Structure formats: structure tokens, C-alpha cells
Amino acid sequence: MRHQTSTLLTRAARRHLSKHSVGHKSISDILDLLPAVNDSEPLRIDATGHVRTVRNQRHMSFVELGDGSTSRSLQAILDPPQAENLGTGTAVRLSGVWRSSPSGKEQSHELHVEDVQVLGPANPEKKFHRAEYLRTIPHLRLRTPFNALLARLRSECDFQAAIFFKDRQFVRTQPPIITSSDCEGAGEVFTVSAKDVQDSPYEKSESAENTSINQVDSFFRTPKYLTVSSQLHLEAFVHEHQKVWTLSPTFRAEKSDTPRHLSEFYMLEAELRTESLQDVMDVVENLIQSLTISLRKSNIGRELLGMKHVTEPNQEKFMTNRTDMLRRRWQGLERQLWPRIPYDKAIGILQDAVKNDIVSFRYQPAWKSGLHLEHERFLAAELGQGSPVFITDYPAVVKPFYMLPSNIDDGIVPTDSSTVACFDLLFPEAGEVVGGSLREHRLEALLISMQRHGLRKQALDAASEKPTPDSPVEANGLDWYVDLRRFGSVPHGGFGLGFDRLLGYLAGVDSIRDVAPWPRYHGRCIC
């Protein structure tokens, strides 16, 4: 009986403490709390975070506290002596009473501090920094309210994407980062080597365009690279599973100094068994719409719409335009049935626009030249009317070796006018964000395509002048990829979505270098 009474008292005490005190809560949770109605039993708060600002007056000091859980700040009121050792960046734990603010204040409640505990001192610095400078201190840039919000946006979209794919029976996989091949065939790869490269042998490059001495790392015996795409390895998974996906880092040694390019970035990639390019585009459209709807309904979406983020001093007027821009973008993404336009029709639209003096381009649109960024932006604006636009069936000569012809009944040897079953998804203002295709699943056709792209050497059959499937293969590290067809394949397709580009579009950030937490690009790799 005594034990039962003690247990009841303990439970009552716990209920009292949980009702009248709050400890170890995030600032986001605290800001949603209402103060106690009865002042005789005030709601006591422990708030932990970093000081954003300190304003000292004669009789009181005001501290704005943040902890990364929200872009909003918790306002605390202290006696001036309590704030003597506080400055921007100081890590503190503030304890006190949570009360209603006087009418007219921006924050409806405030913390009246009774105790201050400094957890980590800091050298105070409070001034405006441009985005270009913040990129030079990425380890500190993470602490700014807007970059903390971008981190939460990234986390939320990762989580929502996982839910989307799980609900549709996709299996999440972890493809390798170190690979034996260049998926895209563009040669813009980083070579992997061990630290003791001075002990590695040297060999001459066989490329006529590159006669330099290449140092081959002996760790793996043959050259290995950082992956430029997980697609080929996802294709290996899809031969056992019906549908697979991944969100993983990719690397491009591309010396492009533009706001749209990074040397290290994240790609969301998926593969599924299908014979229809429409199926692949449906997954892409439904995925992006699902992410956008979830964002709009979330606290992160509301914070993005109300975030006081400017790129230059004294640009407060920019905020209204930015909020309108985000709403317009999200509405465009949520709109049903994005246009799907064949490449040849898109080229015709571009050429007619030039002919009628509607627009002028730096690069004249031509069928075998592909689309440049200026073409993509024009097509997205003209055809999408605020929504993204799928451009399908590009010429085979401008696309990689692994894509299935648009019409497989035309035979396995492509012509100059052949197209492939592929698409690029163009966003208004941003250009290409997603690319996908059906994959060439026929062994003989794949061998011919690899040979035409210079990715393999193989003796031709004397009668048909076609590669023989069983002859020796030198496929530049792609022998295993050929085996996927040799030992039984299935029609399939997939896509790659530039995750950082999508996040930048959703958040209204122009430069992808300001979206990536640790931006790596040509000439810059800090931390």
C-alpha cells in the first residue's frame, strides 16, 4: 500500500512538473507554448541556443536566441548584469518564466530570465555579410538563420521523398561512390588514388587528345573514379527488384564557373521496370508535386514565405517580391499535367521565335546541337506558363550510349536522324532539373551503341559487320554493365533529379553554391 501511494505521488509530481515547467525543448516548440494563466503557478522555461543579438538598455537587456529549429528568435529579457558576458554566437542556457509580451510587440510571448548559464563563449561579431563572403566560411555559415532553414528544408524533402517511394514499393539502395567507369561518357571525372601515389606506376594515355603522363594508383590495380551518376548500379539492382531509388552524392570535374554547377552535389535517382517513357515521367511529376505540397503545408514552408533573407544590405523591399515568387513557383509545380513536348517540335518553336524576332539567342537552335540554358528557359516560360515542361525524344547523337531508341522497330543500328526515348524536365527560370530515359536492354544493340560512342573495342562479324555478343570485350570498365544484358535483362527506365537544384528552386535561392552546405566547385574546396 505504501509503495502504491509513493507511486501515485511520483506520478502526480511528474504531471505537475510537465504542466508547469519546460526543459530541453527546442525554441520552435517553446515559441508555440502559451504562458500560464495563473501567475501563482507560472510556466518555467529552460531555453538553450546561440545568442543572435543583444540590445542593452539602462534598466534591461534584450537577447534574441536561436537553436536552428526555426528561423524565428526567442526574445528574452534580462537584467543588464546578466547580459555582461553575452554576445553574438554565445551558447547559453536561459532559465526563467514564460509570459505574454506587451501588446504591439512582434513576439507574442517572451522569457523573463532568472538564471543565465554560459555554455560556450564567443567573440561577438554582428554585421551583414554577402553571400559571396559566407561561402568562404561554410563552417560558420551553417549558423545563420537562413542556412539553418535550408538545412531543415533538405532534411524534410529527404524524409518526404523516402515516404513517397516507400508508399510505391520502391527499394532504397546504397550504390558505390568509387566506380570503374564514367557513366555519362563525358570524361569529367575525378580519379581516386591512395595517399602514397608517389609509389604508383605511370602509364601513357591512349587518348590522342591527351598525351600527358597519367599516374595510375596501384591500390585498385586499375583506374577508379568518383561516381558521376548511380544509374548504372541502380540498373543492376532493378534486375532483381521491380523499383529502386537512391539519394547519394555525385561528382563532376567540370570547370564551369556558373551558379548552376558544383563539383560535388546530390542526385536523387530511380529505376523501374517499364516499357513506357510516360511511366517514368509520371513518377517524376508525382514526386515533385508531392514534395511541393508537403512543403507548402509545413512549418518550413511558412518560414520560407516569411523569412527575412536578403542578399544585399537595405533590400527589405525585395522580401515582398520574393514571397510572391515562391508562391508562384509552388503553384506552378502543383498544377496538374505538365506539358510533354517532343524535341523536334521544341526546336521548331525556337526557330520560329527567332525568325519572327520574338527572341534572339546567343546559340542558334539546331536539331543536332541540343538545348542550351537560354533555350530551356524560353521553352519553360512559353510552354509551361509557370509549370515545368518535359522535352522528349532527343537526337541520339547528343545523348549517352545507354538510351533506348524511340522506335525499336527501326533496327539496332541508329541513323543520323534517330532519336532516343528520353526526356529533360525544364523548370521556369532554372532550366533542366531532371533527366531520364528508357535504357537499352538488348545486348547486341547495346554493344553497337557502346562502339559508336568509343566505349569498347571488339572485332566485327565478317558477314554482318556487327559486334558478336560472345567475342572478347574491352569496355572501359563497363564489362559488368554488358553482363547485365548478357545474363538476362528486362525493359526498364529511370531518371536523375538534381536535388540541390530542386531545393534552390523551392527556396528561391539563385545560386546552387548557397544551397549546398559545403559547396565544392572549380577552384574552391574549403573545410
Side-chain angles (χ1 to χ4, degrees):
M1 182 67 178
R2 179 178 300 175
H3 174 73
Q4 184 178 3
T5 303
S6 175
T7 302
L8 291 175
L9 289 174
T10 302
R11 290 175 179 172
R14 288 175 180 172
R15 286 196 296 269
H16 177 82
L17 288 173
S18 64
K19 181 177 180 180
H20 298 288
S21 66
V22 179
H24 306 295
K25 288 278 189 179
S26 70
I27 287 179
S28 176
D29 291 333
I30 292 174
L31 291 175
D32 292 332
L33 291 173
L34 295 176
V37 177
N38 186 356
D39 289 338
S40 63
E41 293 183 333
L43 183 62
R44 313 198 72 81
I45 296 291
D46 289 334
T48 303
H50 286 86
V51 174
R52 290 179 177 172
T53 63
V54 178
R55 293 183 291 114
N56 292 310
Q57 297 182 0
R58 184 175 180 180
H59 298 293
M60 64 182 63
S61 296
F62 298 90
V63 169
E64 288 191 2
L65 198 67
D67 67 351
S69 64
T70 177
S71 57
R72 297 177 293 167
S73 296
L74 182 149
Q75 179 168 286
I77 300 177
L78 298 79
D79 293 330
Q82 292 177 310
E84 285 181 354
N85 297 321
L86 304 184
T88 300
T90 304
V92 296
R93 178 179 294 117
L94 304 180
S95 302
V97 179
W98 189 238
R99 292 177 177 166
S100 298
S101 301
S103 60
K105 293 295 184 79
E106 181 177 347
Q107 184 171 303
S108 60
H109 312 98
E110 56 196 13
L111 177 61
H112 291 251
V113 176
E114 298 173 346
D115 181 67
V116 177
Q117 182 181 357
V118 175
L119 305 177
N123 297 322
E125 180 182 359
K126 174 64 177 177
K127 62 179 181 179
F128 181 87
H129 291 302
R130 288 180 170 84
E132 292 80 4
Y133 174 72
L134 289 175
R135 292 176 200 146
T136 67
I137 50 171
H139 55 298
L140 300 178
R141 183 179 70 164
L142 298 173
R143 303 185 186 186
T144 64
F146 188 70
N147 282 276
L149 177 56
L150 290 179
R152 294 195 299 277
L153 171 65
R154 181 181 294 269
S155 175
E156 180 67 15
C157 287
D158 185 339
F159 175 72
Q160 294 297 337
I163 293 176
F164 174 89
F165 284 115
K166 182 175 177 58
D167 288 345
R168 289 157 181 79
Q169 290 79 50
F170 278 74
V171 176
R172 188 168 191 172
T173 65
Q174 285 77 42
I177 300 300
I178 300 175
T179 69
S180 59
S181 59
D182 174 8
C183 172
E184 298 296 327
E188 298 167 340
V189 295
F190 288 101
T191 302
V192 175
S193 64
K195 190 173 183 180
D196 56 344
V197 291
Q198 65 271 14
D199 299 328
S200 300
Y202 290 83
E203 68 175 16
K204 277 278 189 179
S205 169
E206 296 183 0
S207 172
E209 298 178 358
N210 181 13
T211 58
S212 63
I213 300 293
N214 290 335
Q215 196 171 28
V216 179
D217 180 27
S218 60
F219 189 89
F220 291 111
R221 296 189 177 183
T222 57
K224 302 302 174 188
Y225 315 98
L226 295 181
T227 182
V228 299
S229 171
S230 297
Q231 176 208 315
L232 303 188
H233 292 88
L234 286 182
E235 289 191 57
F237 279 112
V238 86
H239 281 82
E240 174 61 24
H241 307 283
Q242 296 289 326
K243 296 174 283 189
V244 295
W245 78 285
T246 189
L247 177 59
S248 58
T250 54
F251 307 85
R252 303 282 173 91
E254 186 176 2
K255 298 180 179 180
S256 295
D257 188 19
T258 75
R260 302 179 68 249
H261 292 88
L262 290 172
S263 298
E264 177 186 3
F265 54 96
Y266 272 73
M267 288 282 287
L268 192 160
E269 299 179 79
E271 291 287 324
L272 60 149
R273 297 187 184 186
T274 181
E275 298 181 65
S276 170
L277 188 65
Q278 303 297 324
D279 290 344
V280 183
M281 290 189 285
D282 287 345
V283 173
V284 173
E285 185 170 339
N286 293 336
L287 168 65
I288 296 175
Q289 288 175 345
S290 176
L291 294 178
T292 306
I293 293 171
S294 298
L295 173 62
R296 176 174 52 79
K297 294 179 179 179
S298 69
N299 287 333
I300 294 175
R302 287 186 284 273
E303 287 186 46
L304 281 169
L305 293 175
M307 185 67 187
K308 296 180 179 179
H309 170 65
V310 294
T311 57
E312 297 291 339
N314 304 318
Q315 283 192 350
E316 287 75 11
K317 293 182 179 179
F318 169 75
M319 290 306 304
T320 301
N321 294 335
R322 180 178 177 278
T323 299
D324 292 341
M325 173 193 68
L326 289 181
R327 286 199 174 99
R328 184 178 66 253
R329 285 185 174 185
W330 298 354
Q331 290 170 0
L333 293 177
E334 291 183 35
R335 193 176 302 157
Q336 299 294 317
L337 302 178
W338 299 344
R340 302 178 180 185
I341 310 297
Y343 174 86
D344 56 357
K345 182 177 180 180
I347 289 294
I349 292 173
L350 294 172
Q351 292 174 338
D352 288 343
V354 172
K355 181 179 179 180
N356 296 324
D357 294 326
I358 297 175
V359 66
S360 61
F361 296 116
R362 178 181 178 184
Y363 300 98
Q364 293 304 308
W367 196 79
K368 290 187 178 182
S369 299
L371 297 178
H372 293 270
L373 178 59
E374 57 182 345
H375 304 147
E376 294 173 351
R377 287 175 170 169
F378 179 84
L379 290 170
E382 289 296 309
L383 302 177
Q385 298 297 314
S387 296
V389 177
F390 288 100
I391 305 298
T392 68
D393 301 290
Y394 282 67
V397 293
V398 301
K399 288 297 183 180
F401 73 96
Y402 51 74
M403 294 187 176
L404 186 73
S406 299
N407 188 352
I408 60 176
D409 294 333
D410 291 343
I412 61 174
V413 180
T415 65
D416 291 340
S417 61
S418 296
T419 62
V420 285
C422 68
F423 67 84
D424 284 346
L425 181 61
L426 313 182
F427 276 38
E429 305 169 75
E432 180 199 354
V433 175
V434 188
S437 73
L438 296 182
R439 318 308 191 189
E440 180 56 83
H441 59 279
R442 302 166 299 170
L443 175 59
E444 187 176 3
L446 178 65
L447 294 175
I448 291 175
S449 179
M450 292 175 68
Q451 188 164 356
R452 288 172 63 90
H453 284 81
L455 294 176
R456 64 184 303 276
K457 297 178 181 179
Q458 186 176 30
L460 299 178
D461 179 84
S464 63
E465 295 188 353
K466 297 178 182 179
T468 56
D470 296 325
S471 61
V473 176
E474 295 180 15
N476 291 345
L478 289 170
D479 303 70
W480 66 272
Y481 185 72
V482 175
D483 282 347
L484 297 180
R485 278 66 177 170
R486 178 174 287 116
F487 294 100
S489 187
V490 63
H492 59 283
F495 65 88
L497 181 155
F499 198 60
D500 299 277
R501 286 187 183 180
L502 176 62
L503 295 180
Y505 189 80
L506 291 173
V509 179
D510 294 331
S511 176
I512 195 174
R513 298 173 181 177
D514 298 325
V515 176
W518 307 91
R520 279 84 166 90
Y521 48 95
H522 183 236
R524 181 63 60 86
C525 181
I526 299 176
C527 303

